[in-house]
Amino acid sequence: MSQTITQKLMLFFPKCECEKPIIYHLVKDYDLIVNVYRAKVTPEEEGYLVLDVTGTEEDIERAMDFVRTFNVTVNYTGKGVTWDERRCTHCGQCLAHCPSGALHLADPATRQVGYDESECIECLACIRICPFGTCASAF
Amino acid sequence: MKTYAQINDRIASGKAVVLTADEIMDYVDKKGLAAAAQEVDVVTTATFGPMCSSGCFLNFGHSKPKIRMSEAWVEDVLVYAGVAAVDVYLGATQLRHGDPANMYYPGEFRYGGGHVIEDLVAGKTLQLFALSYGTDEYPRREIRTYFTIRDLNQAIMVNPRNCYQNYNVAINDSERPLYTYLGVLEPRRKNATYCSAGQLSPLLNDPYYETIGVGTRVWLAGAQGHVYAEGTQHAGACERTPAGVPKEGAGTLALTGDMKRMRPEFVRGVSLRGYGVSLALGIGVPIPILNEQVLQRTCVRDRDILAPVIDYSRDYPEKTGRVITYVTYEQLRRGQIEIEGKKVAVGSLSSYYKALEIAHLLADEIRRGEFLVSSPIAPLPRDGKMKPLVIREKP
């Protein structure tokens, strides 16, 4: 049996009438463990879904093929929250507020701040906190 | 013993020995104080953080026909026009026209004076709108035009208060979040914020103002500016450690410099939720090593500098004067402090990373002979405390 992996994904739903219970099918038909961080799926509007899926690589690929049949765009780098390095001043204000350590002290000697996207749970605390507008949300 | 002139001769000949304030301690430990004082000419200090008491004078030149601006806005941010016809002062904390401020609490304050200053230095095209009552020699009543910093006759930064010598560590003892100029403070002491470059900070490396005074040349966001006065709220007579390091705000500097020579990465607008807008600035100050004592003072380390922990839910706004405890910058930089047995996560508003970068940039400029040190024309006062504003009945 092939190894299970966890993949962070962002699904973009164009303005569509997709009323299928997609998450149900991911679990039921493709045997995936789903952890939804954030979702905005409103009928008649563009929608977003940021989630972790855990399963075999093949199952994840088959599941994404299924998802794409609804005209959904699958973004494997999960960019629900973006961090603009050019705007960051490395003040460290975010460090006390980021619960997952995605925003972290990359170099203790220079106190450079780094962002590890795979650790981000999309709580959006950084967007509220950052005085320099470094962090932004795709939706 | 060295004089300013001797140090400048060495700088001009490209032979000056320059170290940053975070390198000097180990150097002195290795070489010994006396030998190091002979060798080292300059120690560079720096800071980068929000400095609300900042702003700039702009001169637009005259339109045809002329206008005597009585009210003016740049990018819809009100500027002070109560000076000469086409001079204005743009303040860092001014909100943009129509900003709901804290009407929908906590306000976002996305754009204001500090951001206009950032955009100006970045060379962006900005809108000027001004009104006038009209006079015989200045007949125009209204003007709307677009300009960049290159179109201005002068863009001179004039900051009444920068470089606070030391600063509070803010925490929140209440049951609700607080939105302050030191960032968001979660309830029940969940987090703390400090705002100082600590061992790199200019006035912590010259605690008795022995070399930094009125007239000192400084690196102001890349331009060569200078100290034009003691900063507002300067209070040299503060509580100090036995080594002389202030345990509270203490000294400040009033700085000025030519914005046309500034670098945009060191002039940044700041949005503080629920509080307002401000400006973060990068400042470097060279300390000429005149003697052993001056050198000794630049060897201050984060572990030697104490900052007062203040409750911003009650003690700060009510001005009670209570200090919960003191912590060192070494403790703060670990990212967690312990206050009365509780572990508190720590964040900073001052960027040590940028301060370090500035200290190195300034050191390089001095080594290349491009930045000379200057003897103050007047010292900063060591006495004097901060006066309160007394609310009185009309006499």
Side-chain angles (χ1 to χ4, degrees), chain B residues 278-299:
Chain B
S278 186
L279 181 72
L281 266 182
I283 296 162
V285 182
I287 296 187
I289 303 305
L290 302 171
N291 56 49
E292 288 178 24
Q293 183 174 294
V294 168
L295 177 63
Q296 178 70 62
R297 301 217 197 275
T298 64
C299 293

PDB file of all heavy atoms in Angstrom, chain B residues 278-299:
ATOM      1  N   SER B 278       1.013  55.891  11.734  1.00  0.00           N
ATOM      2  CA  SER B 278       2.268  56.447  12.207  1.00  0.00           C
ATOM      3  C   SER B 278       3.317  56.251  11.116  1.00  0.00           C
ATOM      4  O   SER B 278       2.994  55.853   9.987  1.00  0.00           O
ATOM      5  CB  SER B 278       2.687  55.762  13.512  1.00  0.00           C
ATOM      6  OG  SER B 278       3.831  56.389  14.064  1.00  0.00           O
ATOM      7  N   LEU B 279       4.561  56.507  11.468  1.00  0.00           N
ATOM      8  CA  LEU B 279       5.664  56.366  10.520  1.00  0.00           C
ATOM      9  C   LEU B 279       6.793  55.620  11.208  1.00  0.00           C
ATOM     10  O   LEU B 279       7.203  55.978  12.311  1.00  0.00           O
ATOM     11  CB  LEU B 279       6.155  57.759  10.084  1.00  0.00           C
ATOM     12  CG  LEU B 279       7.301  57.766   9.074  1.00  0.00           C
ATOM     13  CD1 LEU B 279       6.798  57.320   7.699  1.00  0.00           C
ATOM     14  CD2 LEU B 279       7.928  59.148   8.969  1.00  0.00           C
ATOM     15  N   ALA B 280       7.295  54.571  10.551  1.00  0.00           N
ATOM     16  CA  ALA B 280       8.486  53.876  11.061  1.00  0.00           C
ATOM     17  C   ALA B 280       9.690  54.405  10.296  1.00  0.00           C
ATOM     18  O   ALA B 280       9.655  54.532   9.070  1.00  0.00           O
ATOM     19  CB  ALA B 280       8.354  52.372  10.874  1.00  0.00           C
ATOM     20  N   LEU B 281      10.731  54.699  11.038  1.00  0.00           N
ATOM     21  CA  LEU B 281      11.905  55.350  10.463  1.00  0.00           C
ATOM     22  C   LEU B 281      13.170  54.622  10.869  1.00  0.00           C
ATOM     23  O   LEU B 281      13.265  54.127  11.996  1.00  0.00           O
ATOM     24  CB  LEU B 281      12.029  56.748  11.060  1.00  0.00           C
ATOM     25  CG  LEU B 281      11.428  57.921  10.327  1.00  0.00           C
ATOM     26  CD1 LEU B 281      11.735  59.171  11.125  1.00  0.00           C
ATOM     27  CD2 LEU B 281      12.013  58.030   8.934  1.00  0.00           C
ATOM     28  N   GLY B 282      14.133  54.620   9.960  1.00  0.00           N
ATOM     29  CA  GLY B 282      15.439  54.067  10.281  1.00  0.00           C
ATOM     30  C   GLY B 282      16.424  55.182  10.580  1.00  0.00           C
ATOM     31  O   GLY B 282      16.539  56.125   9.800  1.00  0.00           O
ATOM     32  N   ILE B 283      17.080  55.070  11.721  1.00  0.00           N
ATOM     33  CA  ILE B 283      18.014  56.120  12.150  1.00  0.00           C
ATOM     34  C   ILE B 283      19.322  55.473  12.615  1.00  0.00           C
ATOM     35  O   ILE B 283      19.301  54.480  13.347  1.00  0.00           O
ATOM     36  CB  ILE B 283      17.402  56.936  13.313  1.00  0.00           C
ATOM     37  CG1 ILE B 283      16.141  57.667  12.826  1.00  0.00           C
ATOM     38  CG2 ILE B 283      18.422  57.941  13.881  1.00  0.00           C
ATOM     39  CD1 ILE B 283      15.242  58.144  13.922  1.00  0.00           C
ATOM     40  N   GLY B 284      20.421  56.048  12.177  1.00  0.00           N
ATOM     41  CA  GLY B 284      21.728  55.598  12.649  1.00  0.00           C
ATOM     42  C   GLY B 284      22.476  56.771  13.260  1.00  0.00           C
ATOM     43  O   GLY B 284      22.403  57.883  12.736  1.00  0.00           O
ATOM     44  N   VAL B 285      23.143  56.529  14.365  1.00  0.00           N
ATOM     45  CA  VAL B 285      23.907  57.596  15.020  1.00  0.00           C
ATOM     46  C   VAL B 285      25.315  57.077  15.310  1.00  0.00           C
ATOM     47  O   VAL B 285      25.472  56.054  15.983  1.00  0.00           O
ATOM     48  CB  VAL B 285      23.228  58.060  16.334  1.00  0.00           C
ATOM     49  CG1 VAL B 285      24.024  59.204  16.966  1.00  0.00           C
ATOM     50  CG2 VAL B 285      21.794  58.500  16.080  1.00  0.00           C
ATOM     51  N   PRO B 286      26.343  57.787  14.807  1.00  0.00           N
ATOM     52  CA  PRO B 286      27.717  57.365  15.088  1.00  0.00           C
ATOM     53  C   PRO B 286      28.169  57.905  16.442  1.00  0.00           C
ATOM     54  O   PRO B 286      27.874  59.049  16.778  1.00  0.00           O
ATOM     55  CB  PRO B 286      28.507  58.039  13.963  1.00  0.00           C
ATOM     56  CG  PRO B 286      27.735  59.272  13.635  1.00  0.00           C
ATOM     57  CD  PRO B 286      26.291  58.999  13.958  1.00  0.00           C
ATOM     58  N   ILE B 287      28.872  57.067  17.195  1.00  0.00           N
ATOM     59  CA  ILE B 287      29.425  57.547  18.460  1.00  0.00           C
ATOM     60  C   ILE B 287      30.946  57.594  18.320  1.00  0.00           C
ATOM     61  O   ILE B 287      31.605  56.559  18.168  1.00  0.00           O
ATOM     62  CB  ILE B 287      28.977  56.645  19.629  1.00  0.00           C
ATOM     63  CG1 ILE B 287      27.457  56.760  19.742  1.00  0.00           C
ATOM     64  CG2 ILE B 287      29.683  57.051  20.929  1.00  0.00           C
ATOM     65  CD1 ILE B 287      26.840  56.087  20.903  1.00  0.00           C
ATOM     66  N   PRO B 288      31.501  58.809  18.312  1.00  0.00           N
ATOM     67  CA  PRO B 288      32.954  58.941  18.205  1.00  0.00           C
ATOM     68  C   PRO B 288      33.609  58.497  19.508  1.00  0.00           C
ATOM     69  O   PRO B 288      33.185  58.910  20.598  1.00  0.00           O
ATOM     70  CB  PRO B 288      33.156  60.447  17.983  1.00  0.00           C
ATOM     71  CG  PRO B 288      31.940  61.095  18.550  1.00  0.00           C
ATOM     72  CD  PRO B 288      30.823  60.118  18.457  1.00  0.00           C
ATOM     73  N   ILE B 289      34.603  57.635  19.413  1.00  0.00           N
ATOM     74  CA  ILE B 289      35.224  57.098  20.631  1.00  0.00           C
ATOM     75  C   ILE B 289      36.315  58.066  21.075  1.00  0.00           C
ATOM     76  O   ILE B 289      37.483  57.945  20.710  1.00  0.00           O
ATOM     77  CB  ILE B 289      35.733  55.662  20.393  1.00  0.00           C
ATOM     78  CG1 ILE B 289      34.583  54.770  19.921  1.00  0.00           C
ATOM     79  CG2 ILE B 289      36.370  55.100  21.668  1.00  0.00           C
ATOM     80  CD1 ILE B 289      33.349  54.729  20.832  1.00  0.00           C
ATOM     81  N   LEU B 290      35.888  59.039  21.879  1.00  0.00           N
ATOM     82  CA  LEU B 290      36.781  60.113  22.327  1.00  0.00           C
ATOM     83  C   LEU B 290      37.706  59.630  23.438  1.00  0.00           C
ATOM     84  O   LEU B 290      38.825  60.103  23.581  1.00  0.00           O
ATOM     85  CB  LEU B 290      35.956  61.292  22.830  1.00  0.00           C
ATOM     86  CG  LEU B 290      34.967  61.909  21.833  1.00  0.00           C
ATOM     87  CD1 LEU B 290      34.072  62.924  22.523  1.00  0.00           C
ATOM     88  CD2 LEU B 290      35.710  62.551  20.667  1.00  0.00           C
ATOM     89  N   ASN B 291      37.207  58.694  24.249  1.00  0.00           N
ATOM     90  CA  ASN B 291      37.995  58.215  25.393  1.00  0.00           C
ATOM     91  C   ASN B 291      37.449  56.868  25.866  1.00  0.00           C
ATOM     92  O   ASN B 291      36.456  56.357  25.327  1.00  0.00           O
ATOM     93  CB  ASN B 291      37.967  59.265  26.518  1.00  0.00           C
ATOM     94  CG  ASN B 291      36.531  59.612  26.922  1.00  0.00           C
ATOM     95  OD1 ASN B 291      35.717  58.723  27.152  1.00  0.00           O
ATOM     96  ND2 ASN B 291      36.214  60.904  26.969  1.00  0.00           N
ATOM     97  N   GLU B 292      38.078  56.334  26.883  1.00  0.00           N
ATOM     98  CA  GLU B 292      37.692  55.008  27.382  1.00  0.00           C
ATOM     99  C   GLU B 292      36.273  54.990  27.933  1.00  0.00           C
ATOM    100  O   GLU B 292      35.556  54.009  27.796  1.00  0.00           O
ATOM    101  CB  GLU B 292      38.683  54.557  28.467  1.00  0.00           C
ATOM    102  CG  GLU B 292      40.042  54.183  27.897  1.00  0.00           C
ATOM    103  CD  GLU B 292      41.032  53.782  28.973  1.00  0.00           C
ATOM    104  OE1 GLU B 292      40.603  53.368  30.059  1.00  0.00           O
ATOM    105  OE2 GLU B 292      42.244  53.896  28.702  1.00  0.00           O
ATOM    106  N   GLN B 293      35.888  56.077  28.586  1.00  0.00           N
ATOM    107  CA  GLN B 293      34.552  56.091  29.189  1.00  0.00           C
ATOM    108  C   GLN B 293      33.456  56.026  28.125  1.00  0.00           C
ATOM    109  O   GLN B 293      32.472  55.295  28.267  1.00  0.00           O
ATOM    110  CB  GLN B 293      34.383  57.338  30.044  1.00  0.00           C
ATOM    111  CG  GLN B 293      33.042  57.359  30.758  1.00  0.00           C
ATOM    112  CD  GLN B 293      32.935  58.519  31.712  1.00  0.00           C
ATOM    113  OE1 GLN B 293      33.649  58.593  32.710  1.00  0.00           O
ATOM    114  NE2 GLN B 293      32.067  59.452  31.377  1.00  0.00           N
ATOM    115  N   VAL B 294      33.662  56.792  27.053  1.00  0.00           N
ATOM    116  CA  VAL B 294      32.680  56.768  25.958  1.00  0.00           C
ATOM    117  C   VAL B 294      32.599  55.351  25.375  1.00  0.00           C
ATOM    118  O   VAL B 294      31.511  54.829  25.112  1.00  0.00           O
ATOM    119  CB  VAL B 294      33.059  57.803  24.863  1.00  0.00           C
ATOM    120  CG1 VAL B 294      32.226  57.592  23.601  1.00  0.00           C
ATOM    121  CG2 VAL B 294      32.866  59.218  25.386  1.00  0.00           C
ATOM    122  N   LEU B 295      33.766  54.729  25.219  1.00  0.00           N
ATOM    123  CA  LEU B 295      33.788  53.363  24.679  1.00  0.00           C
ATOM    124  C   LEU B 295      33.094  52.389  25.630  1.00  0.00           C
ATOM    125  O   LEU B 295      32.295  51.545  25.208  1.00  0.00           O
ATOM    126  CB  LEU B 295      35.234  52.913  24.426  1.00  0.00           C
ATOM    127  CG  LEU B 295      35.386  51.482  23.920  1.00  0.00           C
ATOM    128  CD1 LEU B 295      34.718  51.307  22.557  1.00  0.00           C
ATOM    129  CD2 LEU B 295      36.858  51.083  23.826  1.00  0.00           C
ATOM    130  N   GLN B 296      33.412  52.531  26.919  1.00  0.00           N
ATOM    131  CA  GLN B 296      32.819  51.648  27.933  1.00  0.00           C
ATOM    132  C   GLN B 296      31.291  51.673  27.833  1.00  0.00           C
ATOM    133  O   GLN B 296      30.624  50.654  27.912  1.00  0.00           O
ATOM    134  CB  GLN B 296      33.280  52.104  29.322  1.00  0.00           C
ATOM    135  CG  GLN B 296      32.693  51.300  30.476  1.00  0.00           C
ATOM    136  CD  GLN B 296      33.241  49.887  30.525  1.00  0.00           C
ATOM    137  OE1 GLN B 296      34.430  49.683  30.689  1.00  0.00           O
ATOM    138  NE2 GLN B 296      32.363  48.917  30.354  1.00  0.00           N
ATOM    139  N   ARG B 297      30.741  52.866  27.652  1.00  0.00           N
ATOM    140  CA  ARG B 297      29.277  52.990  27.619  1.00  0.00           C
ATOM    141  C   ARG B 297      28.669  52.344  26.367  1.00  0.00           C
ATOM    142  O   ARG B 297      27.520  51.934  26.377  1.00  0.00           O
ATOM    143  CB  ARG B 297      28.889  54.461  27.679  1.00  0.00           C
ATOM    144  CG  ARG B 297      29.404  55.172  28.929  1.00  0.00           C
ATOM    145  CD  ARG B 297      28.397  56.170  29.430  1.00  0.00           C
ATOM    146  NE  ARG B 297      28.979  57.129  30.354  1.00  0.00           N
ATOM    147  CZ  ARG B 297      29.111  56.907  31.659  1.00  0.00           C
ATOM    148  NH1 ARG B 297      28.717  55.764  32.182  1.00  0.00           N
ATOM    149  NH2 ARG B 297      29.630  57.835  32.444  1.00  0.00           N
ATOM    150  N   THR B 298      29.440  52.259  25.278  1.00  0.00           N
ATOM    151  CA  THR B 298      28.893  51.612  24.079  1.00  0.00           C
ATOM    152  C   THR B 298      28.894  50.083  24.210  1.00  0.00           C
ATOM    153  O   THR B 298      28.372  49.392  23.339  1.00  0.00           O
ATOM    154  CB  THR B 298      29.693  51.972  22.801  1.00  0.00           C
ATOM    155  OG1 THR B 298      31.025  51.452  22.926  1.00  0.00           O
ATOM    156  CG2 THR B 298      29.746  53.461  22.563  1.00  0.00           C
ATOM    157  N   CYS B 299      29.503  49.589  25.293  1.00  0.00           N
ATOM    158  CA  CYS B 299      29.562  48.135  25.486  1.00  0.00           C
ATOM    159  C   CYS B 299      28.320  47.596  26.192  1.00  0.00           C
ATOM    160  O   CYS B 299      28.298  46.436  26.606  1.00  0.00           O
ATOM    161  CB  CYS B 299      30.815  47.755  26.264  1.00  0.00           C
ATOM    162  SG  CYS B 299      32.312  48.072  25.321  1.00  0.00           S
TER     163      CYS B 299
END
